[in-house]
């Protein structure tokens, strides 16, 4: 019999809708009454470690989840399922993907509709996540997100719609697997990447989004804000308005690491253009190009790298691999 640990953290999957349409926290998790619908060949242990809406989740809570999974790896579990609010689910998933070495399956899931709404998706996603976590094929796939019969890699999945049950997608690359009833089918292999074991999430890494007509004001503020790192969601393939360049150069010269991703939902950041603010001079300045990640995930990656006490050279390798 497979053993799966479930960690409830809150979110819509744990909530109920009131008569006025508002969705709020429940004192009793609705999934705690559903053990009879889990396949009988899977032994499920349930722990409620938080009851938080996902906008309340911070890297400190992510670290608590990581530490509990590491302990679970010594307790004979075959996999761990984390139920989580969808707003920041992709960030927790990616943090867990890069902050420790996995020996068992780790799967996150959630819901877009609370338990008492018509067409509630939480219970179905929950069961499918448990089935995925219990499957031996899931152990070498990195951290996974299971929603709506699809299996996504934590590194690339993102929430794409505010309310649709089909919200979690992997732009550019697509899902790595699907579920058909109780069958877990992987369509792709996850590219191996390095995890950096950490025990802290200290530091201030700021995420900035570029826009047309952007000037140096935000970067000037950051020069005096004692930040530890900056991630920029740049224009197009990886370009910035020219007025930000002098202040950005000062930040880099002061030793603050600066990474860049594209603000586009598809494609990867690249140094293609050779004009003021273009990708080629930005790379020469020392900006680190991060490929395939959203800005929020690149921010977590830098935070993990800084807490792993990487040198500047090691951090550059970690951010750009």
């Amino acid at each position: 019999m497979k053993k799966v640990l479930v960690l409830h953290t809150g979110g819509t999957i744990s909530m109920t809708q009131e008569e006025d349409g508002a969705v709020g926290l429940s004192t009793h998790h609705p999934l705690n009454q559903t053990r009879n619908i889990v396949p009988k060949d899977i032994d499920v242990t349930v722990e409620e470690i938080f009851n938080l809406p996902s906008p309340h989740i911070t890297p400190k809570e992510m670290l608590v989840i990581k530490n509990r999974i590491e302990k679970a790896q010594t307790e004979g579990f075959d996999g761990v399922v984390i139920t989580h609010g969808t707003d920041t689910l992709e960030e927790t998933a990616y943090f867990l993907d890069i902050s420790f070495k996995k020996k068992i399956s780790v799967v996150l899931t959630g819901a877009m509709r609370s338990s008492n709404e018509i067409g509630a998706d939480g219970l179905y996603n929950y069961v499918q996540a448990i089935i995925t976590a219990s499957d031996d094929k899931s152990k070498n796939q990195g951290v996974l997100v299971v929603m709506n019969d699809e299996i996504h890699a934590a590194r690339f999945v993102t929430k794409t719609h505010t309310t649709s049950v089909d919200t979690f997608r992997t732009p550019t690359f697509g899902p790595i697997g699907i579920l058909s009833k109780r069958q877990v089918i992987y369509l792709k292999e996850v590219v191996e990447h390095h995890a950096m074991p950490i025990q802290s999430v200290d530091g201030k890494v700021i995420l900035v989004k570029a826009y047309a007509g952007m000037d140096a004001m935000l970067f000037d503020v950051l020069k005096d804000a004692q930040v530890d790192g900056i991630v920029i969601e740049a224009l197009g393939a990886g370009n910035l308005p020219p007025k930000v360049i002098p202040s950005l150069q000062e930040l880099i010269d002061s030793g603050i690491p600066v990474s860049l991703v594209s603000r586009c939902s598809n494609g990867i950041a690249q140094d293609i253009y050779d004009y003021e603010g273009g990708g080629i001079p930005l790379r020469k300045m020392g900006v680190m190009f991060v490929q395939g990640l959203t800005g929020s995930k690149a921010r977590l990656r830098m935070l993990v790298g800084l807490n792993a006490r990487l040198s500047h050279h090691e951090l550059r390798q970690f951010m750009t691999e």
Side-chain angles (χ1 to χ4, degrees):
M1 180 174 283
K2 298 292 187 179
K3 293 179 59 179
V4 172
L5 173 66
V6 172
L7 302 176
H8 290 317
T9 69
T12 299
I13 197 170
S14 69
M15 297 180 181
T16 56
Q17 186 181 54
E18 305 300 332
E19 290 184 2
D20 62 0
V23 178
L25 296 172
S26 300
T27 54
H28 301 289
H29 201 299
L31 295 181
N32 286 342
Q33 309 302 319
T34 59
R35 296 193 183 198
N36 60 326
I37 54 89
V38 174
K40 291 182 171 52
D41 59 345
I42 304 175
D43 180 19
V44 175
T45 300
V46 177
E47 296 179 11
E48 189 168 342
I49 57 175
F50 309 124
N51 188 15
L52 297 172
S54 63
H56 295 196
I57 297 287
T58 74
K60 290 183 179 179
E61 283 75 34
M62 296 176 193
L63 189 66
V64 171
I65 299 170
K66 177 201 82 86
N67 290 338
R68 181 63 188 96
I69 297 172
E70 285 187 308
K71 182 180 179 184
Q73 294 187 147
T74 69
E75 296 174 332
F77 287 102
D78 297 286
V80 176
V81 169
I82 301 106
T83 65
H84 198 289
T86 59
D87 284 355
T88 61
L89 184 150
E90 65 196 77
E91 289 169 78
T92 297
Y94 186 62
F95 177 88
L96 297 175
D97 201 35
I98 62 172
S99 60
F100 71 105
K101 185 173 178 60
K102 266 67 67 186
K103 300 176 183 176
I104 59 178
S105 307
V106 179
V107 179
L108 282 84
T109 194
M112 295 302 294
R113 296 171 183 161
S114 57
S115 60
N116 60 331
E117 288 185 75
I118 296 173
D121 56 328
L123 179 57
Y124 186 80
N125 288 336
Y126 176 63
V127 174
Q128 297 294 69
I130 290 173
I131 291 170
T132 303
S134 69
D135 194 293
D136 289 336
K137 297 190 298 292
S138 301
K139 291 184 178 180
N140 298 317
Q141 298 288 347
V143 174
L144 303 170
V145 173
V146 170
M147 298 276 289
N148 205 39
D149 277 337
E150 292 184 338
I151 306 171
H152 295 267
R155 182 169 187 171
F156 299 119
V157 70
T158 190
K159 186 176 182 178
T160 64
H161 194 285
T162 55
T163 56
S164 172
V165 295
D166 193 26
T167 182
F168 279 91
R169 305 284 186 88
T170 299
T172 304
F173 306 110
I176 64 170
I178 59 173
L179 290 115
S180 178
K181 301 298 181 182
R182 287 198 55 187
Q183 188 176 8
V184 178
I185 304 168
Y186 284 99
L187 308 171
K188 303 174 185 176
E189 291 185 4
V190 174
V191 177
E192 185 177 359
H193 57 276
H194 295 103
M196 292 290 173
I198 59 170
Q199 294 302 324
S200 63
V201 285
D202 300 327
K204 186 184 295 184
V205 179
I206 304 300
L207 177 60
V208 177
K209 188 163 190 168
Y211 53 87
M214 187 180 194
D215 60 22
M217 181 191 69
L218 289 175
F219 294 108
D220 288 340
V221 170
L222 292 175
K223 282 189 288 188
D224 301 321
Q226 297 182 325
V227 299
D228 299 289
I230 300 170
V231 174
I232 305 169
E233 289 188 5
L235 308 172
N239 311 300
L240 292 173
K243 288 186 178 180
V244 311
I245 302 304
S247 289
L248 186 61
Q249 184 68 70
E250 289 181 32
L251 286 163
I252 293 172
D253 291 343
S254 70
I256 296 174
V258 176
S259 287
L260 175 152
V261 302
S262 173
R263 73 176 193 179
C264 298
S265 59
N266 272 290
I268 60 176
Q270 302 175 77
D271 54 337
I272 296 174
Y273 293 100
D274 194 5
Y275 52 71
E276 188 179 7
I280 290 175
L282 287 174
R283 188 185 290 276
K284 290 178 180 177
M285 285 171 57
V287 175
M288 296 176 279
F289 278 60
V290 182
Q291 296 188 335
L293 296 185
T294 61
S296 57
K297 290 180 183 178
R299 176 188 168 273
L300 284 171
R301 191 171 185 86
M302 184 176 286
L303 185 67
V304 167
L306 292 172
N307 280 272
R309 305 293 187 263
L310 300 183
S311 68
H312 186 77
H313 175 70
E314 290 169 334
L315 181 64
R316 175 173 290 277
Q317 287 185 314
F318 181 59
M319 294 300 296
T320 58
E321 69 175 11

